[in-house]
Amino acid sequence: MTDRRWTVAVVGATGAVGREMLRMLEERSFPVSRVRALASPRSVGRRLPFAGGEVEVEVLSEAAFEGVDIALFSAGGARSLEFARSAVQAGAVVIDNSSAWRMDPEVPLVVPEVNEDALDAHRGIIANPNCSTIQMVLPLKALGDAFGLRRVIVSTYQSASGAGQGGIDELFAGVEAHRSGEALPSEVFARPLAFDCLPQIGDFLDTGYTSEEQKMLEETRKILSMPELPSSATCVRVPVARGHLESVTVDLERRATAAEAREVLSSFPGIVVMDRPGEMVYPVARDCVGRTETFVGRIREDNALPGTLHFWVVSDNLLKGAAWNAVQIAESLVARDRVSVPRG
Ligand SMILES: NC(=O)c1ccc[n+]([C@@H]2O[C@H](COP(=O)([O-])OP(=O)(O)OC[C@H]3O[C@@H](n4cnc5c(N)ncnc54)[C@H](OP(=O)(O)O)[C@@H]3O)[C@@H](O)[C@H]2O)c1
């Protein structure tokens, strides 16, 4: 990294992801000269902890990007569509957590361990993939490079925090309501989440898949530069507060034993293999909360199909799935001297 320091804006700083972004910037000693915390008018004047002091929340507006070098957006797609371009016009490089720009062909969709080079083509906006996609593409890239990837099938077990602070609150409110015999709330989630699993994340499409499942398919193809990769997802919301879990099946070009796959995955950056099932060593959400890595376990060959592997992937959706991946992109931009908006 250079000696230069940067003005960083966190848009949605009061949210579940935004607060983790501030924490990641601090924990990584990202070279900030100033941090600006932006949110809705509801939060103006709130003080958020940062680097031993506090930063006061300001309202999100076009003027707020004056002098900002890097803007980490995490306030929903509507805010990203409304403000990202004006932030870029003001000279900021935008790293956006929403789905607003992910499939725009001009916008790199980046997981640094997988396709960091895509950053060099940025024109001001860079997209952070969906949380479930991020943790899956790490092992897919590792196994794909080593054995060739033919097909992917995934079932997710996604925590309440994937729907933001409101999702966490609704899960806990549901547990309380269940205890006191009241009706369980379902404002954030389509159905009550407490003590249940919901096979719906996002809206249903004509295909029978949900928008979340479609995002996983499209984003995975874009990140891996495999536009035809056959892939299918079933996304399920589970009553876990934080951390997403996934069961993944891959068909490979060349047959790999579980031991060979374990070795390949262990040496891939950002992956930690936890796979000694006889000793009950496999990742669960509790192991992963607060960690930036992606954890893989239960690696095994299919009983009947040679070249097919199954494994289990767990990560902190608020960190690698959101805040850490975004700050990691910012670090890559600094290292690659790309904290600037190309003109023309
Ligand atoms: N949670 C995840 O695992 C995850 C993972 C990847 C991507 N994302 C994406 O990250 C974004 C934020 O998610 P989250 O989980 O942090 O949600 P959240 O906890 O609900 O936080 C939402 C944030 O957006 C701000 N906001 C809402 N309306 C606004 C407005 N009109 N003007 C300015 N700020 C506004 C909120 O500010 P106030 O506090 O002032 O309302 C808050 O800071 C979403 O786009 C989400 O899709 C989330």
Side-chain angles (χ1 to χ4, degrees):
M1 290 206 191
T2 63
D3 289 341
R4 214 184 132 176
R5 303 190 84 76
W6 311 92
T7 297
V8 180
V10 177
V11 181
T14 51
V17 173
R19 290 194 309 263
E20 291 298 338
M21 284 174 160
L22 289 172
R23 210 171 61 76
M24 282 288 110
L25 289 168
E26 176 180 339
E27 205 174 289
R28 298 287 303 177
S29 301
F30 190 85
V32 291
S33 50
R34 182 179 176 200
V35 166
R36 299 188 69 170
L38 307 176
S40 80
R42 293 179 288 273
S43 302
V44 170
R46 253 183 83 181
R47 306 183 83 81
L48 302 173
F50 183 72
E54 286 182 330
V55 44
E56 190 172 320
V57 178
E58 302 167 74
V59 74
L60 171 62
S61 68
E62 288 189 9
F65 295 102
E66 202 55 52
V68 170
D69 301 300
I70 300 171
L72 306 176
F73 269 68
S74 187
R79 265 66 62 192
S80 297
L81 286 172
E82 190 179 347
F83 291 99
R85 288 227 186 273
S86 29
V88 171
Q89 250 150 32
V93 177
V94 168
I95 302 170
D96 183 39
N97 250 280
S98 78
S99 57
W101 305 100
R102 288 179 192 150
M103 296 314 296
D104 185 322
E106 293 226 324
V107 173
L109 182 64
V110 177
V111 178
E113 294 89 343
V114 176
N115 64 338
E116 191 179 16
D117 289 350
L119 285 175
D120 290 341
H122 89 77
R123 312 217 33 89
I125 302 177
I126 295 150
N128 225 27
N130 179 284
C131 39
S132 325
T133 308
I134 293 179
Q135 68 183 66
M136 181 175 72
V137 293
L138 270 79
L140 292 187
K141 172 72 175 163
L143 295 172
D145 283 355
F147 309 111
L149 211 51
R150 285 184 40 217
R151 183 179 187 218
V152 182
I153 300 170
V154 57
S155 295
T156 69
Y157 304 67
Q158 297 178 226
S159 64
S161 61
Q165 189 58 46
I168 302 172
D169 295 345
E170 186 164 297
L171 173 61
F172 284 103
V175 172
E176 283 307 314
H178 178 82
R179 256 196 211 127
S180 52
E182 289 162 23
L184 272 60
S186 63
E187 279 163 30
V188 176
F189 302 113
R191 306 266 298 266
L193 180 62
F195 306 105
D196 218 332
C197 297
L198 311 177
Q200 177 187 357
I201 302 183
D203 300 320
F204 282 103
L205 311 174
D206 292 344
T207 54
Y209 285 88
T210 63
S211 50
E212 182 86 351
E213 291 161 355
Q214 185 66 19
K215 281 183 209 167
M216 284 192 83
L217 167 91
E218 290 175 352
E219 293 178 21
T220 299
R221 288 175 170 172
K222 180 170 174 177
I223 297 162
L224 296 178
S225 299
M226 296 180 76
E228 308 292 333
L229 179 69
S231 137
S232 186
T234 302
C235 292
V236 181
R237 187 74 71 191
V238 297
V240 167
R242 181 165 167 172
H244 286 357
L245 311 93
E246 298 176 350
S247 167
V248 185
T249 296
V250 287
D251 294 345
L252 302 170
E253 302 278 356
R254 292 176 293 287
R255 185 174 181 170
T257 64
E260 286 165 341
R262 220 169 269 135
E263 199 179 316
V264 161
L265 291 164
S266 301
S267 54
F268 196 80
I271 291 182
V272 173
V273 171
M274 286 178 80
D275 196 23
R276 298 196 307 280
E279 299 164 43
M280 283 183 285
V281 174
Y282 44 75
V284 296
R286 192 168 275 116
D287 297 329
C288 305
V289 169
R291 300 280 298 265
T292 55
E293 306 96 321
T294 294
F295 296 81
V296 184
R298 302 291 322 277
I299 302 161
R300 61 210 188 276
E301 284 186 78
D302 190 84
N303 284 325
L305 301 172
T308 296
L309 284 180
H310 306 281
F311 53 91
W312 177 245
V313 187
V314 187
S315 198
D316 186 335
N317 54 298
L318 296 180
L319 294 184
K320 185 57 184 165
W324 165 233
N325 200 68
V327 171
Q328 203 181 6
I329 288 172
E331 288 188 353
S332 299
L333 289 173
V334 171
R336 297 166 95 87
D337 196 18
R338 294 304 311 258
V339 188
S340 59
V341 178
R343 292 289 162 208

